[in-house]
Amino acid sequence: MANVVVIGTQWGDEGKGKVVDLLTERAEYVVRFQGGNNAGHTLVVDGRQFIFHLIPSGILHPGKVCMIGNGVVLDPGVLIQEMDKLDAANIPVTPESLAISRYTHVIMPYHRALDEARESRKGSTKIGTTGRGIGPCYEDKVCRSGIRMHDLLDPARFRERLDANLEEKNFMLKHYFGSAPLDGNAIADEYLAYGQRLAPYATNVSEVLQKADRDGRNILFEGAQGTHLDIDHGTYPFVTSSNTVAGNACCGSGIGPTRIHKVIGVVKAYTTRVGGGPFPCELLDETGRQIQKVGGEFGATTGRPRRCGWLDMVVVNSSIRLNGLSGLVITKLDVLTGIPTLKIAVRYKCGAQEVGSVPPELKALEACDPIYEELPGWEESIRQVRRFSDLPENTRRYLEAIEDMASIPLHLVSVGPGRDETIILQNPFD
Ligand code: IMP
């Protein structure tokens, strides 16, 4: 039995969805513990494409229990849309297959309105948020005025909290941002209906996880975004509003740290970033455009093109430290096929100094230039390869270089979007 956390090691969009989907075969419970519908997983199963923002991708496996932990911020309208889409595809979502923590904070219409109003006011200093209300919802959680899942199930209490919040939010929207105020009656009707629909799914996730753990079940914790978007450890202020590192799997679901056995980091074979913020290895040339096109690097949530660059082991090694990673998964390796020479950043030159981890301050990071190691590329298609030893020599050298620089083992290598297009070196549940 093992409880495993899967984390993105870069700035999100590392291909965690496919990895979680694969590992779910060995897990009975799949838990999301932070973020909200700012995340997006695109999965291809039997040629069918699925995009999820909230429901763990484990829902595609019959008999598994998917959980939304207290650390998530939940937009109930979006969740219900996902449930309906799955129902229409003959993948029923039932209280046996999906559980929501009663203590999950709810994204309200004023959170979305404030997210957008704030970003448009920022002009050139904007973070490039997904506009889903994530930051404002976490703000209310921390300032103790948030509305939680269990509040939706109690109409009188909900109305009281809504009215108290709305008074302040409408003042800000109207008088500070010059936007339209929101109507409390309309919000109450909409959200109480969501509460009724979601009531059968609301539970104490922490207690369910304790029982599962005691019964010897395998639990998989699914991180969203990436380590360098972490509110504390990321490239602040160009970050998301939650802790994306592995430690938050415990806080965001209600399980203790001694119950986590492995932490796996997902590394895309190159680097991407959506939205603003520093990106030392960014490629603004033809190679960057080729990677963007071949890798389909357009956001699953917003459709925005992702900025692309070389693999940055300074970023990955910082993630190994911040998450205590026990192993790595490499994704989208096939996208690099045909590039004659590949580069991997091994250190940064920051003024007179050379550093091996990401400087925590924005100004210092902006002044850094990557120091690259060059490796020969490969021409052969690798999508049909299922064994490490069958990969072209230069592909193996690229992977061995990563493993060597990381000093932790590789578990899986993804060579295409399909579930089967994977080389399994070592299953983390073994
Ligand atoms: P927010 O999470 O919507 O507040 O956005 C904050 C920053 O995190 C922006 O740069 C977003 O583009 C980025 N971000 C949020 N979620 C994801 C994700 O799932 N993948 C990649 N970037 C993300």
Side-chain angles (χ1 to χ4, degrees):
M1 168 234 156
N3 298 331
V4 176
V5 182
V6 173
I7 292 290
T9 60
Q10 295 152 319
W11 282 284
D13 309 314
E14 294 91 353
K16 292 181 292 296
K18 170 175 164 176
V19 177
V20 169
D21 178 56
L22 268 172
L23 295 182
T24 298
E25 273 168 27
R26 297 283 300 277
E28 278 109 319
Y29 292 77
V30 188
V31 189
R32 266 205 64 184
F33 56 89
Q34 48 75 224
N37 57 313
N38 48 350
H41 297 321
T42 309
L43 279 179
V44 181
V45 181
D46 299 333
R48 279 199 299 175
Q49 182 170 294
F50 294 88
I51 298 182
F52 297 114
H53 299 286
L54 274 167
I55 300 188
S57 33
I59 200 80
L60 298 178
H61 297 252
K64 311 286 172 177
V65 184
C66 291
M67 311 196 105
I68 295 182
N70 56 279
V72 170
V73 285
L74 176 73
D75 188 324
V78 172
L79 177 66
I80 289 169
Q81 270 174 26
E82 285 186 9
M83 291 162 72
D84 290 345
K85 260 192 216 152
L86 283 163
D87 269 337
N90 276 332
I91 302 167
V93 182
T94 64
E96 283 68 49
S97 61
L98 177 72
I100 307 167
S101 166
R102 290 173 64 82
Y103 313 111
T104 301
H105 280 255
V106 175
I107 297 182
M108 302 295 295
Y110 45 80
H111 293 138
R112 288 192 298 267
L114 285 167
D115 201 3
E116 276 163 21
R118 213 177 267 157
E119 279 284 272
S120 40
R121 198 180 169 91
K122 275 196 176 128
S124 64
T125 59
K126 66 168 65 153
I127 309 283
T129 74
T130 56
R132 304 295 194 257
I134 307 294
C137 185
Y138 278 118
E139 284 169 37
D140 279 2
K141 168 177 177 169
V142 174
C143 97
R144 292 157 294 185
S145 63
I147 292 179
R148 305 199 288 182
M149 186 62 209
H150 68 94
D151 295 317
L152 294 189
L153 315 180
D154 178 342
R157 184 179 158 78
F158 173 75
R159 191 64 211 232
E160 203 180 293
R161 293 188 74 80
L162 172 65
D163 288 343
N165 277 315
L166 209 51
E167 194 181 337
E168 187 186 318
K169 309 296 180 193
N170 273 344
F171 181 85
M172 286 293 287
L173 284 170
K174 206 167 147 193
H175 299 294
Y176 185 72
F177 292 111
S179 322
L182 300 169
D183 174 39
N185 289 333
I187 298 177
D189 288 349
E190 182 187 348
Y191 275 68
L192 289 173
Y194 292 152
Q196 272 189 2
R197 168 90 190 260
L198 296 178
Y201 301 86
T203 186
N204 185 323
V205 162
S206 172
E207 286 178 4
V208 178
L209 288 178
Q210 184 184 43
K211 180 166 187 323
D213 184 48
R214 284 185 171 166
D215 290 347
R217 310 277 180 226
N218 287 341
I219 307 171
L220 181 62
F221 295 86
E222 170 178 356
Q225 290 85 48
T227 300
H228 294 272
L229 287 171
D230 183 279
I231 184 75
D232 287 297
H233 304 289
T235 45
Y236 192 88
F238 295 97
V239 292
T240 191
S241 298
S242 60
N243 283 113
T244 58
V245 293
N248 198 24
C250 295
C251 306
S253 65
I255 196 166
T258 58
R259 308 318 307 144
I260 304 293
H261 305 105
K262 279 187 191 154
V263 184
I264 306 302
V266 183
V267 181
K268 186 144 61 179
Y270 46 94
T271 314
T272 60
R273 174 161 205 172
V274 219
F279 184 175
C281 293
E282 184 165 13
L283 280 165
L284 298 165
D285 59 3
E286 196 40 51
T287 308
R289 282 188 286 279
Q290 179 183 332
I291 291 176
Q292 187 184 67
K293 190 165 163 238
V294 178
E297 295 296 350
F298 298 88
T301 301
T302 57
R304 289 180 290 178
R306 297 179 185 140
R307 300 153 68 193
C308 297
W310 295 121
L311 176 61
D312 187 340
M313 286 306 289
V314 181
V315 160
V316 174
N317 277 326
S318 299
S319 295
I320 292 174
R321 167 172 49 83
L322 291 163
N323 296 295
L325 297 181
S326 45
L328 297 179
V329 171
I330 309 296
T331 61
K332 299 190 94 162
L333 189 61
D334 54 304
V335 174
L336 297 182
T337 299
I339 300 177
T341 303
L342 300 168
K343 292 188 188 184
I344 301 179
V346 287
R347 296 177 74 73
Y348 293 160
K349 186 152 179 44
C350 309
Q353 260 193 327
E354 268 190 30
V355 296
S357 69
V358 180
E361 285 156 45
L362 197 61
K363 248 191 156 169
L365 177 56
E366 276 168 354
C368 289
D369 288 314
I371 300 170
Y372 288 113
E373 197 169 299
E374 291 193 0
L375 287 133
W378 58 91
E379 285 293 328
E380 305 88 327
S381 166
I382 56 170
R383 286 186 63 170
Q384 69 297 338
V385 178
R386 299 294 172 264
R387 281 196 316 209
F388 185 84
S389 53
D390 292 339
L391 284 167
E393 190 191 342
N394 287 349
T395 321
R396 277 187 273 133
R397 279 176 67 183
Y398 190 75
L399 292 173
E400 281 159 358
I402 297 173
E403 191 166 45
D404 193 43
M405 290 169 196
S407 306
I408 52 172
L410 301 186
H411 285 288
L412 312 172
V413 178
S414 170
V415 291
R419 212 182 241 177
D420 62 318
E421 291 175 304
T422 310
I423 298 170
I424 301 175
L425 297 158
Q426 190 188 331
N427 193 312
F429 281 109
D430 284 340

